[in-house]
Amino acid sequence: MAKAPLDLTTGPIGRNLLLFALPILAGNIAQSLNGSVNAIWVGRFLGEAALTATANANNIMFFLIGSVFGIGMAATILIGQAMGAKDTAQARRVMGTSATFFIGLSAVIAVAGWWLSRPLLAAMGTPAASLPLAEAYLRVIFLAMPTLYAFAFLSSALRGVGDSRTPFRFLLVSVLLDILFNPLLIFGLGPFPELGIAGAAWATLIAQTLSLIGLLWYMRNKRHVLWLGRKDMALFKVDLEILKALVIKGVPMGLQMVLISLSMIMMMSMVNHYGTDTAAAYGASLQLWTYVQMPAMAIGAACSSMAAQNVGAQRWDRVRGTARSGVLFNFALTGLLILPLVLLDRYTLALFLPSGSEALDVARHLNHIAIWSFLFFGVSFVISGVVRSTGAVIPPLLILAASLWGVRVPFAELMQDRLGADAVWWSFPVSSLCAMLLSLAYYRWGGWRRARMLPSHREEVAASPAEVPAQPPSPVADHDPDPVAGR
């Protein structure tokens, strides 16, 4: 038998949260480094056209993966609530329905994408010189979608039962294999065929497939509580109530990623008006900010899983403790990253700019203004992770929309006559501070504790009293057991 899943409803909150978040953080860093290494192989050895091709194709891939981010998070919360309530049967039902959904969706995307690759790239305005290369790359990426989706889903499910280490281990295997296969398949070294830019995509497909097979074998060999074998085929039948919860609760969480992406595109368009040096400075800063926001994202994801288990166990004191610890860890870890990036920014920003570039001083200036905003951003991300553990997904979406499209974009647009490009840089801390205050206000006074992912047990009994067996109370109560946060 496998070792029992980590019970996040007991033990030291701060210690468990940190140990749970660190593998998620390490995985995010590994994926980013993998992307950087792949870009070096393609850009330096296949040329600028090839690098542009992968950049355009990867935009489509990231959009497709991001579009199901919310549904994966919804599955994590449902599984976490069920495990917190000691209802492993419900966790396995969620696992079956979610697996069927992800497998079916990824198969449709793979088939459609194979035929629609060129039209999609052309619609994006991919340069003519890069279009054939991008199509060859993207077609293989679409073939990899089923394994990419399956691995992302299994990682989310395992985090729901309190296991973030296993997904990280197999993600690391995938990253290392991807780095290994890239030069072998691009250049045709040894017995491997020379595939050019398509080889980079095949490296991703092979690495992800081997890692997925390894993860499935691990779950089967350990008789993991979420492993569904041949005798469990009935659980793959779609439960419409669970599917409804996955979509209704997952789509708003996925829309948050869309709002962030669109706002960054809008900010980039504003920056472009100030010329090449300013745009290059902003691009260099974005490279650093990618890593600065990783601790908050990892802690927020960990808070969501930990809070979901405690919501299922009706341990509202530990839900509050999770929020407090998450905010403190955000300030500590994000602050530890920001401080050296400010003190040593002349050297860190220079990594992404040509020697002697005039953009360096611009980058240092904007970095000093905007980088601190990620402390506020982190608080919002942590609080959102906690409140959505009950199923309250709309208010965090509205808060994000208000801070980005009600504050950041208008502030940057309207204040440029007075502040010039500084209006863009100051829009980051101003909007992030607003998001943090709104998130804390909703956490303190909002009705998120009354939200539900699924109908309560009493509602199920009323609907079908003869078919529902006796079971523990609903993972999320119908009443507000803790009407005042922090009481």
Side-chain angles (χ1 to χ4, degrees), residues 56-267:
N56 279 271
N58 284 336
N59 280 333
I60 295 175
M61 180 182 72
F62 293 146
F63 172 79
L64 291 171
I65 294 175
S67 64
V68 296
F69 163 82
I71 295 174
M73 281 302 305
T76 301
I77 294 169
L78 283 171
I79 291 172
Q81 288 184 355
M83 295 302 294
K86 311 301 182 187
D87 188 354
T88 56
Q90 173 68 358
R92 289 164 62 80
R93 284 193 292 271
V94 173
M95 186 71 177
T97 293
S98 302
T100 299
F101 172 81
F102 277 96
I103 292 170
L105 179 63
S106 63
V108 171
I109 289 175
V111 173
W114 177 266
W115 299 105
L116 296 176
S117 293
R118 179 174 282 266
L120 286 172
L121 291 164
M124 288 178 60
T126 304
S130 299
L131 186 57
L133 297 171
E135 181 184 10
Y137 180 86
L138 186 58
R139 278 192 163 190
V140 181
I141 288 296
F142 271 116
L143 291 180
M145 274 298 151
T147 56
L148 288 168
Y149 271 26
F151 189 87
F153 161 63
L154 285 177
S155 297
S156 296
L158 289 171
R159 285 195 287 268
V161 300
D163 183 3
S164 62
R165 293 184 180 182
T166 298
F168 166 67
R169 292 189 186 108
F170 285 94
L171 173 62
L172 191 59
V173 169
S174 174
V175 167
L176 293 175
L177 288 175
D178 198 347
I179 292 173
L180 172 66
F181 279 114
N182 251 285
L184 297 179
L185 294 173
I186 289 175
F187 307 116
L189 302 178
F192 296 93
E194 181 180 353
L195 301 176
I197 191 172
W202 278 107
T204 297
L205 188 156
I206 293 171
Q208 198 71 60
T209 301
L210 291 176
S211 187
L212 175 64
I213 291 172
L215 179 55
L216 289 170
W217 177 86
Y218 171 86
M219 293 178 67
R220 179 183 183 276
N221 188 55
K222 295 294 184 180
R223 301 181 188 177
H224 196 280
V225 65
L226 294 182
W227 171 256
L228 304 180
R230 283 176 292 182
K231 64 180 181 180
D232 303 306
M233 294 303 293
L235 293 176
F236 287 103
K237 181 180 179 181
V238 173
D239 183 314
L240 294 180
E241 202 65 58
I242 293 174
L243 181 61
K244 180 180 177 183
L246 289 173
V247 174
I248 291 178
K249 300 296 185 179
V251 168
M253 288 189 275
L255 283 176
Q256 294 186 43
M257 306 296 289
V258 175
L259 287 177
I260 293 173
S261 298
L262 292 177
S263 71
M264 294 307 292
I265 292 173
M266 180 65 73
M267 302 303 283

Side-chain angles (χ1 to χ4, degrees), residues 13 20 37 58 78 138 248 321 327-328 333 371 410 412 441:
I13 294 175
F20 191 82
V37 171
N58 284 336
L78 283 171
L138 186 58
I248 291 178
V327 169
L328 291 174
L333 295 180
I371 197 170

Side-chain angles (χ1 to χ4, degrees), residues 266-276 278-279 413 416:
M266 180 65 73
M267 302 303 283
M268 192 72 233
S269 67
M270 294 183 197
V271 171
N272 286 336
H273 290 303
Y274 289 94
T276 303
T278 302
E413 186 74 46
Q416 286 184 63

Side-chain angles (χ1 to χ4, degrees), residues 334-345 348:
T334 305
L336 284 174
L337 273 179
I338 288 176
L339 193 58
L341 291 179
V342 170
L343 296 176
L344 304 174
D345 62 351
T348 54

Side-chain angles (χ1 to χ4, degrees), residues 251-390:
V251 168
M253 288 189 275
L255 283 176
Q256 294 186 43
M257 306 296 289
V258 175
L259 287 177
I260 293 173
S261 298
L262 292 177
S263 71
M264 294 307 292
I265 292 173
M266 180 65 73
M267 302 303 283
M268 192 72 233
S269 67
M270 294 183 197
V271 171
N272 286 336
H273 290 303
Y274 289 94
T276 303
D277 284 345
T278 302
Y282 182 59
S285 297
L286 286 176
Q287 292 290 333
L288 294 183
W289 297 350
T290 297
Y291 293 93
V292 171
Q293 63 187 327
M294 283 183 181
M297 297 177 70
I299 295 167
C303 283
S304 193
S305 296
M306 177 174 275
Q309 284 200 18
N310 284 287
V311 167
Q314 297 292 290
R315 292 295 308 273
W316 294 93
D317 58 322
R318 292 182 62 85
V319 174
R320 294 196 304 273
T322 298
R324 287 194 296 269
S325 295
V327 169
L328 291 174
F329 284 137
N330 163 68
F331 280 119
L333 295 180
T334 305
L336 284 174
L337 273 179
I338 288 176
L339 193 58
L341 291 179
V342 170
L343 296 176
L344 304 174
D345 62 351
R346 179 180 296 277
Y347 308 102
T348 54
L349 289 167
L351 293 173
F352 306 101
L353 295 169
S355 178
S357 172
E358 294 182 3
L360 180 59
D361 287 336
V362 179
R364 293 185 66 207
H365 171 69
L366 74 89
N367 192 56
H368 287 174
I369 294 173
I371 197 170
W372 302 100
S373 66
F374 290 99
L375 288 172
F376 308 140
F377 161 83
V379 174
S380 300
F381 213 88
V382 167
I383 295 300
S384 294
V386 172
V387 301
R388 72 188 178 201
S389 67
T390 64

